[in-house]
Amino acid sequence: MTSHQSTQTMKPATAAKKLGVYLEATPAEFREGVVSRAELNELQANPPQWLQDLRLNGPHPRPVVAAKLGVSIAGLARGGVTEPLTTEQIEALKQEGPEWLERERATQAEVRKESARIKKKNAERQA
C-alpha cells in the first residue's frame, strides 16, 4: 500500500478569516485562487508586505474590530458598526467614546466575569 497525501486547500474567504484580514482588501490573486495549507502556513510564518499592511492598518473584519474595541460582534451591530474599519477609524472611535461603546464594553466585561465564575465553579465541582 502506498500512502499519498492530498493537498488540503481552502477558499480564499476561509484563508482570510484564518489570517484575520478582510477578504475584499486582499490582492486579486489571493481572492481568485485557492490557498493550500502549506501556503497558509507560509503566509502566517512569513507574511508578505500586503498582509503586514492589512494587519496593521486595515480595513479589519468585524471580529478584529470587535476585539480591538473590546466588544462582541453583536455589540458592534447594536452600535451601528456593520462595515470593516481601518485602524485609524477604530482609534477615533476609542477617542470619541460613544455611549454605545461604553455600554457594550461594560456588557462584555460582565460576560467575561460570569464566564470566569462558571469556569471556577465547574473546576471546584470537578475537584
Side-chain angles (χ1 to χ4, degrees):
M1 264 179 103
T2 61
S3 66
H4 62 83
Q5 188 129 358
S6 63
T7 304
Q8 279 188 316
T9 59
M10 61 192 83
K11 294 177 183 173
T14 304
K17 188 174 183 179
K18 290 180 180 285
L19 292 169
V21 295
Y22 182 56
L23 178 64
E24 301 306 316
T26 60
E29 59 270 9
F30 180 84
R31 288 192 308 267
E32 294 165 1
V34 294
V35 180
S36 71
R37 175 69 61 191
E39 290 169 332
L40 178 69
N41 291 341
E42 179 62 25
L43 285 170
Q44 288 172 325
N46 301 306
Q49 190 60 48
W50 64 265
L51 182 54
Q52 291 175 33
D53 292 343
L54 275 179
R55 286 179 170 167
L56 184 63
N57 303 316
H60 303 288
R62 283 181 310 179
V64 175
V65 173
K68 286 181 179 268
L69 290 173
V71 299
S72 66
I73 295 172
L76 280 181
R78 285 190 293 269
V81 178
T82 57
E83 297 297 316
L85 299 178
T86 63
T87 301
E88 189 175 295
Q89 291 169 315
I90 293 168
E91 291 304 317
L93 256 179
K94 286 180 181 179
Q95 293 298 318
E96 291 169 19
E99 187 266 330
W100 71 265
L101 181 58
E102 299 307 318
R103 186 177 60 245
E104 291 300 333
R105 282 180 168 171
T107 300
Q108 190 69 6
E110 287 298 317
V111 168
R112 286 189 190 115
K113 191 170 18 174
E114 181 64 10
S115 294
R117 185 190 68 77
I118 291 170
K119 188 175 180 180
K120 181 180 177 185
K121 185 176 178 182
N122 288 340
E124 289 171 355
R125 203 179 287 155
Q126 295 290 328

